[in-house]
Amino acid sequence: MKHPITLNVNGTPYSVDVATAQSLLYAVRDQLGLTGSKEGCDDSECGACMMLVDGRPTNSCSYLAVQADGAEITTVEGLGEGDELSPLQQVFLEEGGVQCGFCTPGMLIAATALLQANPSPTAEEIRIGVSGNLCRCTGYDGIVRAVLRVSREGASV
Amino acid sequence: MSATYLAAASVEEAVNALKGGARCVAGGTDIVVGHRQGKKPLPASIVAIHGIDALRGIAAAGAGLRLGALATHEEIESHAVVRERFTGLADASAIVGSRATRANGTIGGNVMNASPAMDTGAPLICLGATAVFQGPGGTRSIAVEDLFAGPGQTVASADELLIAVDLPAPALGTGSAYVRLEYRRQMEIAIVGVGAAVTIEGGKVTAARVAITALAPTIHRVVAAEAALVGTDGGRDAAAAAAAAAAAGSAPISDVRGSADYRRAMAAVMARRAIETAVARALGGQVSIPASTSTFAAV
């Protein structure tokens, strides 16, 4: 059974047909061609696929695309402006919040969700905020530093 | 196989679909994740209830509170009245999964998934919560303490939709807490959990409820632990006696998260922490939410 749905991704509406079991992640990657969001575990353990769905941080690998019909979705591609990085992305680079880069799209989305809910988080609150996002390279310290810095600098995320 | 799907716009439409054999999905943090993990295929017929506005929100209901079935853990843990008067439930919702789980996972899904290890069950039972269902024949209420029939099973019929969870106003002088044993603070499932609610008047415990999690096929009260508290001052000796009774009322299994012996040994520790935290809160003390973190740091 295919369902015609509209996904509003990074401000652009897309009409696609999806099967009931199609994940939001693969609708966005395969049908829309936006491959920034990654598949790590495919069952909500790692956060590499994280998107904002109506503002909620959501593991898109385990979210039915058909349930996102009409929702406003933000992926990592929606954070910067064209080739220009967002302030959060820039400090991730400068503070060593990125190594291999595989967790980065989800980590940036989780950090964005955190800063939208809590513009001045403590280091502890940042660790809780990205607790659903696994990084096997950085040891997380660079990520925590980056989020602390962008919040202290008061830049819009 | 291709599953059928309906996005219900109303409770009636959802109940109709359930009557026709559909299973419901809201945040998807159990049913879809279970499918991705290969634990359980998606049901052949799905009715999505996430768009039903009547199921949203947390509102005053008489002197108590009504949690709509779609209330998320994040909404519950951050709700001022829940934190103030139903603190044990805030302790639980604050530690479910990760932030993404709490932003999408709902109280309705958590209750109806009926895991013996789920966090909100024990505090709901201790706070005297009632699950409200809409079925083809009308509504009915079932006390949460009578709802769980086994791992993943409730006494509700397949064509009944949970529409709300009602929390009655706690008596003056009541404090509550939920504490779990965890290997890590987030993305964790209880190895052992204990909920407690204690009412203290004039220096004496006048009412108490204690419920245990991940220690039996269902989350349930331990009446002997409650009896060990009532009439005492709620102090250290009473808490220890009640905690021992709670542990004696457990029937744990061994699994990947812990052995039965370990769970039995830790049951008394977690019960004591939950009871002491509930007593401290009943007496007006501030123990920060979630109690799991603050009591671990204090011990």
Side-chain angles (χ1 to χ4, degrees):
Chain A
M1 189 175 175
K2 288 274 190 180
H3 313 277
I5 61 168
T6 301
L7 298 175
N8 301 303
V9 182
N10 304 323
T12 304
Y14 298 87
S15 295
V16 290
D17 289 338
V18 296
T20 303
Q22 172 77 299
S23 67
L24 176 60
L25 175 63
Y26 275 96
V28 169
R29 283 183 60 90
D30 290 351
Q31 294 178 260
L32 309 188
L34 296 171
T35 55
S37 309
K38 306 303 183 202
E39 178 192 311
C41 63
D42 200 25
D43 65 10
S44 272
E45 295 284 339
C46 80
C49 65
M50 202 169 281
M51 302 178 185
L52 298 181
V53 178
D54 288 334
R56 304 185 311 275
T58 301
N59 289 311
S60 65
C61 74
S62 305
Y63 198 79
L64 299 178
V66 65
Q67 278 196 278
D69 185 18
E72 296 294 333
I73 295 158
T74 303
T75 69
V76 68
E77 288 94 341
L79 297 184
E81 288 282 343
D83 286 341
E84 200 173 312
L85 298 179
S86 72
L88 183 65
Q89 288 172 308
Q90 188 61 41
V91 295
F92 259 65
L93 284 181
E94 292 173 9
E95 295 292 343
V98 178
Q99 284 188 33
C100 87
F102 199 83
C103 76
T104 310
M107 199 64 84
L108 287 165
I109 291 292
T112 299
L114 169 67
L115 290 166
Q116 284 174 353
N118 178 1
S120 304
T122 62
E124 180 67 8
E125 288 166 341
I126 294 168
R127 288 183 182 278
I128 301 250
V130 301
S131 61
N133 300 76
L134 300 183
C135 171
R136 62 98 56 229
C137 303
T138 66
Y140 301 96
D141 282 351
I143 292 164
V144 173
R145 276 199 308 275
V147 180
L148 274 176
R149 198 178 125 194
V150 83
S151 73
R152 279 176 193 154
E153 290 173 358
S156 66
V157 294
Chain B
M1 185 198 64
S2 181
T4 64
Y5 174 88
L6 168 76
S10 68
V11 170
E12 291 66 30
E13 201 179 356
V15 170
N16 242 339
L18 294 179
K19 203 176 160 193
R23 296 290 314 277
C24 61
V25 61
T29 57
D30 281 313
I31 199 169
V32 185
V33 173
H35 162 65
R36 305 310 290 188
Q37 289 174 333
K39 277 187 188 161
K40 220 175 182 184
L42 276 185
S45 176
I46 295 172
V47 56
I49 59 169
H50 66 281
I52 304 177
D53 286 335
L55 301 182
R56 271 184 233 294
I58 300 172
L65 214 53
R66 169 164 280 207
L67 312 173
L70 291 177
T72 63
H73 294 294
E74 193 160 278
E75 289 166 349
I76 292 168
E77 64 151 311
S78 61
H79 194 277
V81 178
V82 175
R83 294 176 73 87
E84 171 76 26
R85 300 175 68 201
F86 306 94
T87 320
L89 180 60
D91 286 331
S93 280
I95 57 175
V96 174
S98 67
R99 170 123 197 267
T101 320
R102 295 189 290 276
N104 286 287
T106 63
I107 190 71
N110 202 204
V111 167
M112 294 309 290
N113 196 49
S115 163
M118 67 92 143
D119 293 308
T120 62
L124 287 176
I125 289 172
C126 291
L127 292 163
T130 302
V132 184
F133 292 87
Q134 172 84 46
T139 62
R140 72 164 169 154
S141 296
I142 303 173
V144 175
E145 68 170 304
D146 298 327
L147 183 63
F148 303 123
Q153 294 180 322
T154 71
V155 300
S157 311
D159 59 2
E160 288 182 303
L161 178 70
L162 179 79
I163 57 173
V165 175
D166 283 344
L167 292 163
L172 276 180
T174 299
S176 63
Y178 172 74
V179 173
R180 79 176 177 198
L181 176 63
E182 52 197 12
Y183 297 134
R184 52 184 182 178
R185 286 182 42 197
Q186 296 271 303
M187 292 297 285
E188 183 60 301
I189 296 171
I191 296 118
V192 168
V194 179
V198 177
T199 306
I200 299 179
E201 286 171 51
K204 292 277 180 226
V205 175
T206 55
R209 279 196 176 201
V210 176
I212 57 176
T213 303
L215 284 167
T218 61
I219 298 169
H220 65 83
R221 287 171 64 186
V222 183
V223 175
E226 299 170 355
L229 284 169
V230 173
T232 72
D233 61 358
R236 213 175 168 77
D237 292 346
S250 71
I253 57 166
S254 295
D255 65 12
V256 291
R257 284 178 281 121
S259 68
D261 283 347
Y262 180 53
R263 284 194 162 101
R264 214 173 281 114
M266 291 302 103
V269 179
M270 292 302 121
R272 183 175 53 74
R273 289 183 192 176
I275 292 164
E276 288 183 349
T277 306
V279 167
R281 286 172 172 165
L283 295 172
Q286 293 297 317
V287 181
S288 62
I289 300 165
S292 269
T293 306
S294 40
T295 60
F296 180 76
V299 173

